[in-house]
Each structure stands twice: as structure tokens, then as C-alpha cells.
Amino acid sequence: MEAQNTGSSIRPIQDVDAIAEKAKLQLEDLLPKAQTLYFSDDCLANASQLTLVEADAHVIDHVCKGGSAVLCTAEKTYSVREAETSNSLLLLQSLTGPSEIEKEGPRHVTDRQVAGTFYTYLELRECQPRLRRLHRLLSADPYRGRLHPGTGYSAARLAEAVQASRAQLETALRESHALLMDGEYRFLECEYEFHVFSLITKFIDENSWSSVEVRRSLTLETLSELEPAAVVAHCFDKHMKPTGETAADGGEPLYTFCEDQVARLFARLLLQPMKTFNLADFTASWQQSVPDGVTTSVDQLRGLAVVNSEVSPQVVVRLAPTDLPDDAPERFAALFAVKQHWTADELHPYLE
Amino acid sequence: MQIFAKLPDGGTEPPSWALVELQGDLESRSATSLAGQLIGDLHFTRQGAPVLIVGHHILWGKVTALEKPLLVMRKRDDLTPAAAESDAMETDAEPESRYHVQAIVRNKILFKSRPKPIIANVPKKI
């Protein structure tokens, strides 16, 4: 930073002052420092190399702390819009503001370079992560056993393909029960998942365990001989939960069914071949098919299917949020095509 | 898609740059490019009001803080493996766009008033 009371310039201060006086400015009313603005030599190159991005407090804070990834920080997702201004924005690397100029001292002039002129800038607007794409990608090739390995997506590839931050992705992956196997995320195909779960229930029966006495390590150990260990563990942990009790022999924690998850698995299987099912028939088959210790109930169908009581006999209709159009008005139209009257509770899983 | 912007070489707060906003466009008198050309003289009154003299016009403006600060980002063309950043990024994903955060702009000098022409006896040689 140059000393306050001097300037560095091509033109002498006297010339600058002469022009100021012609413009009827009183020199004694001006701070001692004048600054002459020039276009820099590389201003044209800069105009194409540089972008101005309007950023909110979170982004500014994040970047100032050395964080990376602006359009998708680790926590939030932003949509980007180019905004045009009818004004010219002159960008300067150095420019002294009035509060930084010493009030006393000889008049002087300093040359300043305008690095570029801008007419547009990018606006960042925080938005909901677009997670539908995540579902679409992972549903394209669900895992269905060793004979059909297929491919999944690594976390990095998902981050590239899906408009969401890493944290939002991790949450979405966890909530949708994506399996991580060999570094790639996969969904399990419904019938295959059911097959693996059936191995678990069969093993429970073979050991004559009650529904609250299931042992995790032996189950995983044994069944990993039949299906990949990661899949068995994933399926077990998704559908079973600790009871809080431990075994009398050895103190191993005991597990029981996650009723809701198990019920939903069976519901999905029942609804797979037929989109619409007579409600009475469905309810009966459903309760009959689930293992002992699991009770089915219509609220477990949230996000899987809806009950339509507007027809007689009542039916249950398979409906996943990913079956619906992304666009809000179209999505509402599709929902109301299923049935006219919805409770807020019923609608909730289908609205972002 | 993730567009990455990072401070170069793990710096902390980026330098503060300045912005001058003018209504309309600056035109060059000659056919040559704007590079290197003089724009005008910027003064501040003792009350801190900015005054810009451009050609035969005088503009009065004000210094304002930007409601949303601007980041000045420079696009990076070098996507060498060495340039692949830390942040636990897996190497199998080449990011689509990488930018360096060159600077931050928190204030601007806005000249909104219509330029007033300077009427004077302009001597032949300035």
C-alpha cells in the first residue's frame, strides 16, 4: 500500500485538479486523494475469465473459511441464475474508499485499473436438493444377486450427477436404504430383497428363536455363505432392531422385527404385480403373509400406496413419490387423478 | 453437478476488490479497444460522496454496501491431477467446473444520477 500522502499516476495532480475545477468542484471540499480510473490491459480477457457471483451469508462465510464448492457447499444446494443488469459493473482490484483517505495533506492522484466490465452476474438461490435423480439413477440397475452384479454409483459420481450437496446426498441415501457395496451405492431389487429377508426368517425358524430373540452375528455369519455379506447385513439392519435385552448365555444383544419396515417389504411385494388391489383382499393377504410378531396397518403404506375410499369396493393403489412428475402442477394433477380427496397426512409423502 | 470454487492455496479471507456501477455503457471514442484507456477521475468530497468526471460529464454517486456480497471467481483451465484438491474428493470424478475465488466485493460505488455535462471553455490542450 503506498504512503497515504502521495500518489502514483501518469497525469500530474495539477491536470486532475484543473479538470475538477472546470467541473465546478471546490478542491477544498474534496479529500486530498483523487483516483484516475483506466481500463487495464487485460480487461477484455478478464471479462471472459472472471464471473461475478452473488452469494448469501452462508456461502461467503464458507468460502472465507477456506471451504470449497460454492454452487453446492457441503450442506446446501443452490440453483444458479444469470442476472442481467442494465448498468455497467466496473471491477477494480484496488480502490481507496473515502474513509481510508487521510483528510489532511497535499493533493495527489493515484491511477487505478479496471480489471473488467460486467453486465451480468450469477445469482445463487438456495433450493431444495433435486433428489429424484438419485432415485432414478439407483433404480435403473437395482442389485439382484451375485449372478447379476450390475453397476451402482460411487458417492463421487452421485455428487456429480445429482444436484445436491454431499450432506443432503448422504441423508437421502440413508433414508432410502441404499446399500453400499464395494464402494458403490445400490438399491436392492424388491424380489431379491424379499429373498434375502426370507433367508433371515427361515434361519430364525430353524433356530427356534422367538421373534424377540434373534441373534445378529450368527445370522450374518451363516447367511453370508449364501449371499454377499454386505447385502445380508444391510437387509438385517434395515428390518431388525435391538430389543434392548441381551441373551442369557453370553450377553449378546437380541433383535426383533422392525414392524413397519417388514410390513412395508411385504406390501411392496404384494403390490408389485398389481397396481390396484381390492383393499379387503389386500389387507387380509398382507397380514397373513408377514412373520409372527408383526402387525400390519394402513399407515405403514405411507409413500408406498394410498387407499381410495371414493370407489366401492375400496382399493389400495400403489403410488411412490418417484412415480409422479417433478413439476408441481403436473404432480398435483397426477395425485388428484388417483382420487379427489386427500388428507394432509396422505399428501405429505408426495410433496417435497 | 457440483461447481467448485476454492480459495487458491488454502488462503483465508479473500482480498477485497471494488466495484463501480455506472448507468449505461462506457463507449470508446476511438475504434481501438478499451484496454489501457482512461476512463475518468474519481474524487470524494470531505463528506465521503463520490464524484466521477468522465469526459465532459460529471457524475455524483454514493458508496453503498452490497446486500449480497459478490465473489469474483476465475475459471481454472488446468485440471491436472496435482490440481485435484483435498477435501476427500475421489479421483474418479472430474469436476465439471473449477473456479478460484479471486476476491470478494462487499461495497460498491453507485453512480445512478444522470451524468451532467461539463460546460466550460475547454482549452485546446488539456
Side-chain angles (χ1 to χ4, degrees), chain A residues 76-249:
Chain A
K76 295 187 182 189
T77 305
Y78 295 85
S79 67
V80 182
R81 192 180 83 92
E82 194 178 55
E84 219 177 299
T85 165
S86 56
N87 296 347
S88 307
L89 302 174
L90 306 183
L91 186 66
L92 296 103
Q93 189 170 340
S94 312
L95 190 67
T96 313
S99 53
E100 300 161 290
I101 302 175
E102 284 196 16
K103 294 198 193 264
E104 304 310 322
R107 289 195 54 74
H108 57 282
V109 57
T110 304
D111 290 344
R112 299 299 192 196
Q113 304 290 318
V114 169
T117 309
F118 297 84
Y119 307 95
T120 63
Y121 57 93
L122 298 184
E123 275 181 344
L124 301 183
R125 209 161 278 145
E126 194 194 346
C127 63
Q128 288 306 314
R130 303 289 217 104
L131 291 165
R132 270 132 203 269
R133 193 154 154 73
L134 172 68
H135 275 268
R136 236 169 255 144
L137 288 177
L138 293 182
S139 304
D141 191 10
Y143 184 76
R144 40 196 184 112
R146 279 207 191 90
L147 293 177
H148 318 275
T151 43
Y153 287 80
S154 66
R157 274 189 73 201
L158 285 176
E160 273 303 292
V162 178
Q163 277 185 333
S165 68
R166 289 279 181 125
Q168 288 163 336
L169 264 180
E170 273 163 40
T171 306
L173 285 166
R174 195 176 47 245
E175 285 174 2
S176 60
H177 301 281
L179 158 74
L180 181 61
M181 194 164 68
D182 299 329
E184 288 188 341
Y185 284 97
R186 309 294 299 273
F187 279 166
L188 291 181
E189 194 205 38
C190 181
E191 277 152 3
Y192 175 72
E193 187 176 7
F194 183 77
H195 159 73
V196 177
F197 183 74
S198 304
L199 293 176
I200 296 174
T201 50
K202 232 176 75 169
F203 191 69
I204 295 173
D205 283 341
E206 280 167 14
N207 285 283
S208 303
W209 292 331
S210 81
S211 65
V212 295
E213 284 175 340
V214 182
R215 295 172 191 240
R216 185 175 185 275
S217 34
L218 187 61
T219 309
L220 260 48
E221 211 183 288
T222 312
L223 297 182
S224 298
E225 290 166 28
L226 301 171
E227 295 294 339
V231 175
V232 180
H234 178 267
C235 197
F236 188 95
D237 293 332
K238 180 179 172 187
H239 297 100
M240 312 292 292
K241 63 182 181 188
T243 60
E245 304 287 325
T246 53
D249 59 336

Side-chain angles (χ1 to χ4, degrees), chain A residues 29 35 68 87-88 119 160, chain B residues 1 21 24-25 42 46 87:
Chain A
D29 286 345
Q35 295 170 92
S68 67
N87 296 347
S88 307
Y119 307 95
E160 273 303 292
Chain B
M1 171 175 81
E21 187 171 344
D25 241 321
L42 175 68
R46 291 188 176 272
D87 251 2

Side-chain angles (χ1 to χ4, degrees), chain B residues 51-105:
Chain B
V51 193
L52 185 65
I53 303 177
V54 179
H56 293 302
H57 298 288
I58 180 167
L59 299 158
W60 289 87
K62 63 174 184 165
V63 179
T64 56
L66 291 179
E67 199 184 296
K68 283 195 187 173
L70 292 171
L71 292 175
V72 182
M73 308 215 293
R74 179 180 293 276
K75 191 149 191 191
R76 287 182 54 192
D77 292 318
D78 54 320
L79 289 175
T80 62
E85 305 294 352
S86 54
D87 251 2
M89 257 209 60
E90 280 117 307
T91 49
D92 64 354
E94 267 311 293
E96 286 202 34
S97 308
R98 277 189 177 280
Y99 292 83
H100 265 158
V101 176
Q102 183 120 28
I104 188 170
V105 179

